[in-house]
Amino acid sequence: DSGVTQTPKHLITATGQRVTLRCSPRSGDLSVYWYQQSLDQGLQFLIQYYNGEERAKGNILERFSAQQFPDLHSELNLSSLELGDSALYFCASSGELGAGELFFGEGSRLTVL
Amino acid sequence: SQELEQSPQSLIVQEGKNLTINCTSSKTLYGLYWYKQKYGEGLIFLMMLQKGGEEKSHEKITAKLDEKKQQSSLHITASQPSHAGIYLCGADPLKTSYDKVIFGPGTSLSVIP
């Protein structure tokens, strides 16, 4: 158990819909990262937050947005969903900047029909 | 942008055999991580290499970093079924205190009892 909690574990929705994925980092961790994993794209970095502030941005679509709240949990919002958004979405956390080791949650599997 | 390649893409070995997985970066490596992922689950941190020539071991897994060649290798000695999974290398492309980690496509390892 990494200590990172993601909900929901599985989600099935239709094209055009909007979903929110939630992540609770390990106790005390200030950094939260979001990744998308699909068979054809591999593990892609989306975005990182540190203590509530956006710190780094990767290949995140404009239809996607994220935020980190004062209690350090984070949410990833996916809107106007397309079939290609079906993937495993991972959240990871780390203790401090430069900590190196990321602790990954079990992921949220999104299926868009 | 920095890209990581891994070879081989997949590997099937008999239990007890040794094996090596390679990770090559298109740009200078400032830090190299190895993670293991069981199918459909989150990633588990194995080790981090920071300096050229550095070598680290954990149980029967050894990783080395060759900064000049922009490569890292992961060697498993006397493989066991518990070693099966997907091995991913990761790197920080910006030398920014390991904030943003990008990953290679992964190497799928199967160990036949």
Side-chain angles (χ1 to χ4, degrees), chain A residues 33 35 37 55 97-98 102, chain B residues 33 35 37 41 97 99 101:
Chain A
Y33 304 73
Y35 286 86
Q37 186 177 43
R55 179 154 178 97
L97 293 175
L102 300 182
Chain B
Y33 310 81
Y35 284 80
Q37 182 182 22
E41 297 182 11
S97 301
D99 280 344
V101 179

Side-chain angles (χ1 to χ4, degrees), chain A residues 37 88 90 105-107 109, chain B residues 37-44:
Chain A
Q37 186 177 43
L88 198 51
F90 285 109
E106 293 294 306
R109 182 171 295 280
Chain B
Q37 182 182 22
K38 291 192 175 180
Y39 299 100
E41 297 182 11
L43 280 70
I44 298 170

Side-chain angles (χ1 to χ4, degrees), chain A residues 1-70:
Chain A
D1 183 5
S2 67
V4 178
T5 304
Q6 288 188 248
T7 57
K9 284 187 169 37
H10 301 275
L11 194 54
I12 301 174
T13 189
T15 55
Q17 294 299 304
R18 181 178 187 274
V19 299
T20 297
L21 309 180
R22 182 189 168 99
C23 169
S24 293
R26 280 191 327 158
S27 177
D29 281 0
L30 299 177
S31 275
V32 169
Y33 304 73
W34 286 98
Y35 286 86
Q36 178 194 57
Q37 186 177 43
S38 59
L39 283 175
D40 55 342
Q41 295 288 325
L43 192 63
Q44 297 288 317
F45 169 74
L46 296 178
I47 197 164
Q48 182 216 354
Y49 282 84
Y50 177 78
N51 202 21
E53 299 290 325
E54 182 184 305
R55 179 154 178 97
K57 216 166 187 177
N59 302 322
I60 187 167
L61 300 171
E62 285 190 10
R63 299 183 286 110
F64 296 179
S65 65
Q67 56 182 346
Q68 186 179 26
F69 294 87

Side-chain angles (χ1 to χ4, degrees), chain B residues 36-98:
Chain B
K36 178 186 174 185
Q37 182 182 22
K38 291 192 175 180
Y39 299 100
E41 297 182 11
L43 280 70
I44 298 170
F45 175 82
L46 294 176
M47 55 192 86
M48 176 175 68
L49 305 166
Q50 293 177 257
K51 300 175 185 177
E54 186 173 12
E55 181 175 321
K56 285 188 177 178
S57 293
H58 175 68
E59 297 179 343
K60 293 185 178 180
I61 301 176
T62 301
K64 299 179 186 178
L65 177 62
D66 186 333
E67 252 181 5
K68 288 182 181 178
K69 291 185 180 179
Q70 297 176 178
Q71 282 183 343
S72 177
S73 61
L74 184 84
H75 184 77
I76 299 178
T77 304
S79 58
Q80 301 169 353
S82 61
H83 287 128
I86 301 171
Y87 289 81
L88 297 99
C89 62
D92 172 16
L94 299 175
K95 199 181 183 181
T96 54
S97 301
Y98 314 110

